[in-house]
Amino acid sequence: MSNYEIVKREDFSDVTYLLEVRHPMMARAAKPGQFVVVMLSEHGERVPLTIADFDREKGTVTLVVQAVGKTTRQMQQECKPGASLYGLVGPMGIPTPPSHARKVICVGGGLGVAPVYPQARALKESGAYVIGVIGFRTKELVFWEDKFGAICDELILCSDDGTVGLHGRVTAGIEQALKKHPDVDEVIAIGPPIMMKSCVETTRPYKIKTMVSLNPIMVDGTGMCGGCRVKVGDEVKFACVDGPDFDGHRVDFDDLMTRLRRYSKEERMALDHWEKGCRMQRSIDQAEGVQK
Amino acid sequence: MREQEAAARARNFEEVARGYLADDAMRESERCLLCPDQPCVSGCPVGIDIPGFIRRINEKDLRGAYDVLTATSLLPAICGRVCPQENQCEGQCTVGQTLEPVAIGRLERFVGDTAIREHWANIPYIEPNGLKVGVVGSGPAGMACAADMAKAGCEVTVYEAFHQAGGVLKYGIPDFRLPNTVIDAEIGNLEKLGVKFECNTLVGRLFTLEQMITEMGYDAVFVGVGAGYPTMLGVPGDSLNGVLSANELLTRCNLMRAREFPNFDTPQPIGRRVAVVGAGNTAMDAMRVSLRLGAEKVYCIYRRSHKEAPARAEEIHHAEEEGVEFHWLTNPVAVLDDGNGNVKGLRCVRMELGEPDSSGRRRPTPVAGSEFDFECDLVVYAIGTNANPIMGQTSGLRLNKRGYIDTDERLATSLAGVFAGGDIVTGAATVIQAMGAGRRAAAGMKAYLGLRDGNRPYRDGAGDTLFGIDAGERNFARIRV
């Protein structure tokens, strides 16, 4: 059976972790803006994750994951170097087209810092002036500040609670950057839907092109099921094959957020079921330990 | 044929039609007149020697019957189950003019199942010819093409984007109609021919068709990726939670095994009342899966009448028996919101049939003022598919106006060495049509590669052969330097 080995793992916080998975062919093919679909086990679900980075020489693809649901928590527990994923397919989606923007703000909110990184790097390599705005809830959750800083001409770090950097959300960072640089010609914002929505509303009065990367629920990731459909302007698009990047000013974020909630009850059930299994396993382990 | 009781089977995923026992098959085979003009054969998209295999069943030579079948059909256990026989072989049957036609499909399935049970496989002696063939998509078209090319001596690799091979046979057609064990047995037979399957591989994005030819050493490539881009209805409420494509429902249930949630991670909450829009085979599958997942009421909403419904007669019959409520001449105009973004119901309008349209079917038109509401919590669209854009996005393949791949009569595409067939060329069709396309593409591919097509008879005595080689056959010598 297929075997995608995890070669490196790094924990950014209690909930956020990085995995480097060996897949030389994918590392060669991957481009900024694309995503993969991961299956942890034969019984697993198909989870879309944005490619955070790729190393063509090492032949690895980097994923940054937040443990929120059953599968991402199980991955947090099981995905250690040497372990492997049951399924990994990609790169999926249309790569972010090369931008001719001269001055760009790259905004990453929380986990979104990871997927916006390769885009920021590509822009920097193409000669653009890159302003990074990255935001986290609190100081403990901050990751990749250095990595991001190294490819940005300016970096604004924000935290919701003010424990580090600018006190406020990423939108405050965008406003600050726009005040200093009124000639910004593109904004790229990746993060939770609510954060992307507010970024889009922040840039709308300035009429600055704002690209977002959408993360709806998917099954196959190849356009076959239509579960990831989103409203963009007056059209229905499938994020997996028509995206995942879209013009944020045309995206219906309320629709996206409603659709993201459609399995919340089942997601809760799956998590409970799994945690119960874990507790049982622990008590079995303990009982066996006592016997020995 | 023996069937599971409707009330019981509507709640389980075991196969509905249990298949013939040896006695049943014997009795049925006697009904075949072995008529000399063989109208059934002309009705078969792949031209199986139908009287030939039925005669051998009658002679109790099941192995012989299997040999006759596999000379043309690659997957008898699958075709016997899913072909629309009433429009094909059985529709042409001479007996059928006065009585029930000979149950050719059931006999074919009987032979196919016997072969699986007895582990028969017709693996010809294959001399490797050193040519490499890539197949994109492991559905019926890809499987058929792979088998023919492997038999011709090519080294064949089939790429599949999902984590399991089988394409629509796996994710689409439910277990109660086509058990996974049957598909896996047929895939096993392909592996015995030397075909390799590579799952988790999205061709186009991981590597392109052009790369397969120029960098990866493939001498020819077949694209059989399916149509795979479901049509949404385009009415208000389309994006509400609880509206989904039949593809999504079926994939979640069949491939991802949502029916075993939470032991499998993928959920598919089914709701109490399910309205399925459409009346093709996919719609029937979606309805019957919904019943089995525990829906109390399942409605079929179709804008034309029973007569125009494209599903196999047996599927509609089975769905009716299991308690699906059919609403013919009914067209949805809006999905209703419960105020929280979930489906509350489906607003429909009555239709009446007018003059025939371009498809030859009478065009349905709405009856003014006939709007009414269904109460339901899940709405499933089974109204067809559009062309999947991935191949077009990632290669220089020429597409037609509707986004499907353009081919010539040999199923060659605009890229040298790349052939295509199945739903991605014709739009949504049947399993057997896709298999037929896979085989036709294989024939074209063999001519392109300079391989003699063993299926093509010599035209003895005719003036247009040269040393026994058909003069119309091009490139019969291939020089590799």
Side-chain angles (χ1 to χ4, degrees):
Chain A
M1 201 51 236
S2 29
N3 184 358
Y4 308 99
E5 195 199 343
I6 292 156
V7 292
K8 188 181 156 194
R9 149 114 178 214
E10 196 181 329
D11 285 86
F12 293 142
S13 71
D14 289 350
V15 288
T16 322
Y17 53 98
L18 169 149
L19 300 175
E20 257 181 53
V21 191
R22 190 186 310 285
H23 196 318
M25 210 176 227
M26 196 187 295
R28 261 204 311 279
K31 296 190 186 71
Q34 291 187 298
F35 64 96
V36 295
V37 166
V38 168
M39 268 183 94
L40 180 56
S41 73
E42 209 180 334
H43 289 206
E45 59 186 329
R46 296 172 66 87
V47 185
L49 295 168
T50 312
I51 297 174
D53 203 359
F54 41 85
D55 187 326
R56 303 206 204 280
E57 266 146 49
K58 269 166 71 187
T60 58
V61 175
T62 305
L63 308 172
V64 176
V65 191
Q66 191 164 15
V68 282
K70 187 253 168 183
T71 299
T72 44
R73 285 194 204 190
Q74 194 180 357
M75 281 172 70
Q76 188 181 29
Q77 209 170 77
E78 296 177 9
C79 289
K80 302 190 173 126
S84 46
L85 300 169
Y86 169 76
L88 176 67
V89 55
M92 291 166 150
I94 302 176
T96 307
S99 172
H100 302 293
R102 301 307 310 149
K103 202 175 247 190
V104 188
I105 307 181
C106 291
V107 191
L111 199 68
V113 169
V116 85
Y117 170 77
Q119 301 208 23
R121 185 177 57 189
L123 281 162
K124 182 73 206 158
E125 282 165 4
S126 76
Y129 187 89
V130 178
I131 305 156
V133 176
I134 57 176
F136 300 89
R137 269 208 324 278
T138 182
K139 190 178 172 193
E140 277 70 53
L141 298 175
V142 175
F143 67 91
W144 280 12
E145 188 190 348
D146 299 345
K147 191 168 167 161
F148 222 95
I151 54 146
C152 288
D153 295 285
E154 281 175 49
L155 182 71
I156 304 173
L157 173 64
C158 318
S159 63
D160 293 1
D161 62 358
T163 42
V164 65
L166 180 69
H167 187 166
R169 301 188 187 274
V170 285
T171 44
I174 297 176
E175 292 280 10
Q176 187 183 321
L178 285 178
K179 252 188 217 112
K180 192 167 157 203
H181 303 279
D183 56 338
V184 164
D185 41 19
E186 187 172 337
V187 175
I188 298 169
I190 307 182
I194 187 74
M195 165 258 166
M196 290 192 280
K197 185 186 176 186
S198 35
C199 291
V200 165
E201 292 315 320
T202 307
T203 60
R204 200 187 298 274
Y206 298 90
K207 295 197 171 67
I208 299 170
K209 179 181 167 195
T210 304
M211 296 303 287
V212 294
S213 171
L214 302 187
N215 56 344
I217 297 173
M218 292 184 189
V219 183
D220 57 299
T222 62
M224 203 270 299
C225 82
C228 64
R229 60 191 191 276
V230 288
K231 283 188 193 163
V232 181
D234 45 14
E235 286 177 300
V236 173
K237 296 278 187 190
F238 291 0
C240 64
V241 289
D242 301 322
D245 291 352
F246 293 100
D247 175 354
H249 289 145
R250 304 181 65 235
V251 171
D252 183 341
F253 282 100
D254 294 331
D255 179 70
L256 174 68
M257 286 185 277
T258 310
R259 287 185 60 74
L260 278 168
R261 284 197 299 271
R262 69 185 185 277
Y263 295 113
S264 48
K265 204 173 97 201
E266 288 74 22
E267 282 160 7
R268 189 70 241 167
M269 259 172 76
L271 189 58
D272 288 348
H273 178 81
W274 176 70
E275 282 178 339
K276 213 165 82 191
C278 290
R279 278 198 300 277
M280 267 165 67
Q281 190 57 47
R282 267 201 302 278
S283 48
I284 291 169
D285 291 348
Q286 276 168 6
E288 279 177 353
V290 171
Q291 273 176 4
K292 276 172 199 163
Chain B
M1 184 159 48
R2 294 165 308 136
E3 283 180 356
Q4 262 198 84
E5 200 59 45
R9 74 177 190 234
R11 301 289 162 192
N12 70 44
F13 279 89
E14 281 158 41
E15 198 167 14
V16 168
R18 301 279 201 198
Y20 277 154
L21 296 173
D23 287 351
D24 307 328
M26 186 62 70
R27 221 172 303 125
E28 189 62 29
S29 69
E30 264 160 28
R31 300 182 61 233
C32 177
L33 303 177
L34 302 174
C35 36
D37 56 341
Q38 309 187 333
C40 51
V41 178
S42 57
C44 174
V46 293
I48 293 175
D49 176 9
I50 293 167
F53 94 83
I54 295 183
R55 189 169 52 104
R56 282 174 182 74
I57 296 178
N58 197 246
E59 290 165 353
K60 298 196 174 160
D61 175 15
L62 291 184
R63 178 71 210 220
Y66 178 68
D67 294 343
V68 171
L69 273 174
T70 48
T72 33
S73 168
L74 302 153
L75 315 158
I78 294 176
C79 296
R81 284 175 169 85
V82 302
C83 269
Q85 289 98 1
E86 69 266 22
N87 306 329
Q88 300 175 0
C89 51
E90 294 178 17
Q92 308 289 324
C93 176
T94 316
V95 180
Q97 288 170 7
T98 45
L99 302 162
E100 272 290 295
V102 176
I104 299 166
R106 292 171 181 183
L107 289 170
E108 181 186 18
R109 168 183 166 179
F110 169 71
V111 177
D113 284 356
T114 308
I116 292 175
R117 204 171 45 243
E118 302 287 331
H119 301 287
W120 292 339
N122 280 339
I123 309 298
Y125 168 74
I126 297 174
E127 187 160 348
N129 59 25
L131 297 172
K132 263 178 82 177
V133 169
V135 173
V136 185
S138 68
M143 281 163 84
C145 183
D148 275 4
M149 296 315 290
K151 283 182 188 164
C154 300
E155 186 190 328
V156 182
T157 306
V158 180
Y159 292 104
E160 165 60 45
F162 266 129
H163 50 285
Q164 285 180 23
V168 71
L169 305 173
K170 266 273 170 62
Y171 74 73
I173 301 179
D175 280 18
F176 56 81
R177 205 144 80 75
L178 178 62
N180 278 348
T181 46
V182 171
I183 306 163
D184 289 336
E186 302 287 18
I187 289 173
N189 279 345
L190 288 184
E191 284 174 334
K192 283 184 204 149
L193 288 176
V195 175
K196 280 200 299 262
F197 286 86
E198 295 272 356
C199 293
N200 289 308
T201 308
L202 181 62
V203 176
R205 292 284 173 209
L206 188 59
F207 45 81
T208 61
L209 291 175
E210 284 90 342
Q211 277 178 301
M212 289 177 80
I213 299 278
T214 57
E215 293 170 22
M216 295 167 71
Y218 285 104
D219 298 285
V221 174
F222 173 72
V223 181
V225 295
Y229 191 98
T231 312
M232 302 318 275
L233 205 51
V235 299
D238 253 2
S239 68
L240 290 174
N241 289 339
V243 180
L244 73 169
S245 72
N247 271 2
E248 181 172 2
L249 173 75
L250 292 171
T251 305
R252 284 175 174 271
C253 180
N254 299 335
L255 180 75
M256 305 310 295
R257 308 200 86 75
R259 61 178 193 256
E260 289 166 61
F261 177 83
N263 288 326
F264 280 73
D265 290 342
T266 306
Q268 180 53 61
I270 199 69
R272 279 193 322 116
R273 290 159 188 261
V274 181
V276 178
V277 182
N281 289 320
T282 310
M284 298 303 141
D285 287 344
M287 292 170 212
R288 298 172 69 197
V289 159
S290 301
L291 282 172
R292 284 159 176 79
L293 287 173
E296 287 169 21
K297 278 257 181 235
V298 177
Y299 308 116
C300 172
I301 314 285
Y302 186 52
R303 64 199 180 108
R304 301 177 193 255
S305 75
H306 189 167
K307 216 176 99 222
E308 288 84 18
R312 290 173 85 215
E314 192 184 4
E315 305 310 325
I316 299 182
H317 173 68
H318 278 151
E320 273 172 344
E321 279 186 344
E322 288 169 14
V324 170
E325 235 177 70
F326 284 84
H327 295 269
W328 307 111
L329 292 169
T330 306
N331 200 30
V333 289
V335 187
L336 307 175
D337 189 344
D338 73 344
N340 293 315
N342 302 313
V343 171
K344 180 178 79 173
L346 187 64
R347 177 155 300 159
C348 294
V349 61
R350 298 264 180 240
M351 307 293 277
E352 57 191 4
L353 293 178
E355 293 301 305
D357 62 12
S358 57
S359 72
R361 300 182 294 182
R362 292 175 66 193
R363 185 194 302 276
T365 47
V367 178
S370 65
E371 287 191 6
F372 67 102
D373 294 348
F374 278 101
E375 195 188 309
C376 63
D377 22 38
L378 204 69
V379 174
V380 182
Y381 291 158
I383 50 172
T385 50
N386 293 314
N388 189 292
I390 293 179
M391 284 298 140
Q393 286 170 349
T394 57
S395 75
L397 278 182
R398 195 173 63 225
L399 308 178
N400 68 19
K401 281 202 296 290
R402 296 184 304 147
Y404 294 100
I405 297 176
D406 229 1
T407 63
D408 64 13
E409 69 283 0
R410 284 189 148 180
L411 296 182
T413 67
S414 60
L415 291 177
V418 178
F419 293 74
D423 285 4
I424 194 59
V425 172
T426 57
T430 61
V431 168
I432 188 70
Q433 283 168 317
M435 285 186 188
R439 302 206 64 193
R440 269 205 296 141
M445 204 181 259
K446 283 185 226 172
Y448 167 79
L449 294 172
L451 300 167
R452 264 216 56 86
D453 191 347
N455 295 323
R456 186 190 278 243
Y458 290 103
R459 282 189 241 157
D460 283 336
D464 53 355
T465 69
L466 182 64
F467 310 122
I469 294 170
D470 188 339
E473 194 174 325
R474 287 164 203 277
N475 309 327
F476 53 79
R478 183 184 165 95
I479 301 164
R480 286 172 72 83
V481 281

